[in-house]
Amino acid sequence: MDVTVEKYGYAHDRDYCAIHLTNGHGMTAVILNHGATVAQILVPTTADKTNMIMSLPTFQDYSKERNFLGGTVGRIIGRMAAGKWQVGNTVQQFTLNDGPNHAHGGDEGLDTQVFDFTTDYTAHTASVTLTLFDPAGHNGYPGNLQVQVTYTLTDQDTLTFAVTAVSDALTLCNIANHTYFNLADAGQDVQAQQLQINADYYLPLNAASIPDTGRQAVAGTVFDLRQPQALGAVLRSTDPQIVAEHGLNHPFLLNDQQQGAVLSLPGTSRRMTLTTDAPSVVAYTANHFNHTGVAANLGQYDGVALEAQVPPTADPQLSGCVLLPGQTFHRTTSWQFDY
């Protein structure tokens, strides 16, 4: 196991660093302290290495334009309907930065911040722990929030994302990682890849991309991913939900978090198995990418994000995301790779 640190920039009195975690098989996870971001997951599939995720061309690109690729997103990931949080008879209004909704923690969410970090390794693991103090009032959120994110690579080719957070006041917290996976070689999208999600129910979305009709059974629908399904077949479906979102953008309520989702590439041994303690996975097929801006190398369906989180809701009380003073938020998600 090995850990190396590469400084790739300096701005606002902060070093921008890429932390390379490498195991004995030659698998490497590259983590940026900007946004506690997974920038690359490299596995030795050939004489060279293959990147298993959507990435930007350079590490410097991640701070030029917000795109959530691999980022630690919060204080809450996903959309808050109309930007409203109701506590008792009081309604707090957050900025609307995603059409009619508040999304991904606001304009300066955790994925835009520069974290402090320390590294460690043992005979079987290599890890980096990143910490951030998010002050009360930042992005409109009450309470000072102390966030700690640890990425650990093992010699079983598993990368684990573990986050804890604690606040000194009643606040909202639903932090998750936003990596987009693509197991194919460069230049191929994910439509030939198969996705399996261990969920009997999913949440349909309204016109504002908010679930507001309760859970629906996946049986008999294009959302039945209990057995592996080719993503291309799902994306070409005429189901109104798929058409409206231009692909998958839906929460799946997990039956068993110990094998929440599996992404595989037919004809190869490449596979990623996701396990998590989150109650749901939001599957998003990179519907909006269109080869523009800093992400000009990326297009529609070039990856699939599997965001392990408390699912979004139309209920303004947001009870699943409320963090009490002194209570600790925990979330752990692991990605095990076969190649």
Side-chain angles (χ1 to χ4, degrees), residues 50-167:
T50 300
N51 188 10
M52 297 281 100
I53 67 174
M54 284 174 65
S55 300
L56 295 177
T58 72
F59 299 146
Q60 290 86 350
D61 290 333
Y62 285 83
S63 58
K64 293 178 182 177
E65 181 180 284
R66 195 180 187 194
N67 49 55
F68 310 109
L69 286 164
T72 295
V73 179
R75 294 186 185 188
I76 65 169
I77 193 170
R79 296 176 176 86
M80 184 194 302
K84 296 184 185 298
W85 175 35
Q86 182 174 345
V87 181
N89 294 324
T90 302
V91 176
Q92 178 168 340
Q93 179 67 58
F94 290 83
T95 57
L96 304 181
N97 64 328
D98 183 68
N101 304 309
H102 174 86
H104 287 338
D107 292 330
E108 297 179 352
L110 300 181
D111 60 291
T112 71
Q113 306 300 302
V114 180
F115 287 63
D116 295 321
F117 68 92
T118 59
T119 63
D120 193 18
Y121 67 92
T122 69
H124 303 288
T125 63
S127 65
V128 57
T129 296
L130 305 106
T131 56
L132 179 73
F133 177 77
D134 193 45
H138 190 215
N139 294 299
Y141 288 87
N144 297 299
L145 191 73
Q146 184 67 41
V147 181
Q148 177 175 293
V149 177
T150 300
Y151 290 99
T152 303
L153 178 65
T154 74
D155 53 10
Q156 283 80 43
D157 297 328
T158 298
L159 180 65
T160 296
F161 165 84
V163 56
T164 61
V166 63
S167 176

Side-chain angles (χ1 to χ4, degrees), residues 75-326:
R75 294 186 185 188
I76 65 169
I77 193 170
R79 296 176 176 86
M80 184 194 302
K84 296 184 185 298
W85 175 35
Q86 182 174 345
V87 181
N89 294 324
T90 302
V91 176
Q92 178 168 340
Q93 179 67 58
F94 290 83
T95 57
L96 304 181
N97 64 328
D98 183 68
N101 304 309
H102 174 86
H104 287 338
D107 292 330
E108 297 179 352
L110 300 181
D111 60 291
T112 71
Q113 306 300 302
V114 180
F115 287 63
D116 295 321
F117 68 92
T118 59
T119 63
D120 193 18
Y121 67 92
T122 69
H124 303 288
T125 63
S127 65
V128 57
T129 296
L130 305 106
T131 56
L132 179 73
F133 177 77
D134 193 45
H138 190 215
N139 294 299
Y141 288 87
N144 297 299
L145 191 73
Q146 184 67 41
V147 181
Q148 177 175 293
V149 177
T150 300
Y151 290 99
T152 303
L153 178 65
T154 74
D155 53 10
Q156 283 80 43
D157 297 328
T158 298
L159 180 65
T160 296
F161 165 84
V163 56
T164 61
V166 63
S167 176
D168 58 2
L170 187 73
T171 192
L172 294 170
C173 189
N174 187 21
I175 300 170
N177 179 273
H178 205 295
T179 295
Y180 291 84
F181 298 93
N182 184 338
L183 308 185
D185 294 324
Q188 301 179 45
D189 64 25
V190 296
Q191 294 192 68
Q193 295 171 49
Q194 294 186 341
L195 179 62
Q196 180 179 8
I197 301 180
N198 189 3
D200 292 337
Y201 296 93
Y202 81 105
L203 299 179
L205 307 178
N206 64 17
S209 299
I210 298 292
D212 66 349
T213 58
R215 69 180 190 175
Q216 300 291 323
V218 301
T221 77
V222 71
F223 296 94
D224 192 349
L225 303 178
R226 292 173 294 181
Q227 297 298 319
Q229 302 293 332
L231 278 168
V234 175
L235 297 172
R236 290 190 296 271
S237 166
T238 58
D239 186 291
Q241 286 282 314
I242 298 294
V243 173
E245 295 290 332
H246 306 289
L248 283 172
N249 189 21
H250 296 79
F252 290 79
L253 308 181
L254 296 176
N255 300 333
D256 180 1
Q257 289 88 341
Q258 291 309 303
Q259 185 171 304
V262 179
L263 183 68
S264 58
L265 180 62
T268 75
S269 58
R270 299 182 193 181
R271 178 185 304 266
M272 187 281 293
T273 302
L274 179 151
T275 59
T276 184
D277 56 11
S280 79
V281 165
V282 174
Y284 178 62
T285 44
N287 307 331
H288 73 283
F289 285 88
N290 60 358
H291 295 290
T292 60
V294 170
N297 64 309
L298 301 172
Q300 190 177 48
Y301 310 144
D302 274 356
V304 56
L306 298 166
E307 307 157 38
Q309 61 180 271
V310 174
T313 176
D315 181 358
Q317 296 185 67
L318 301 173
S319 56
C321 301
V322 173
L323 187 66
L324 301 175

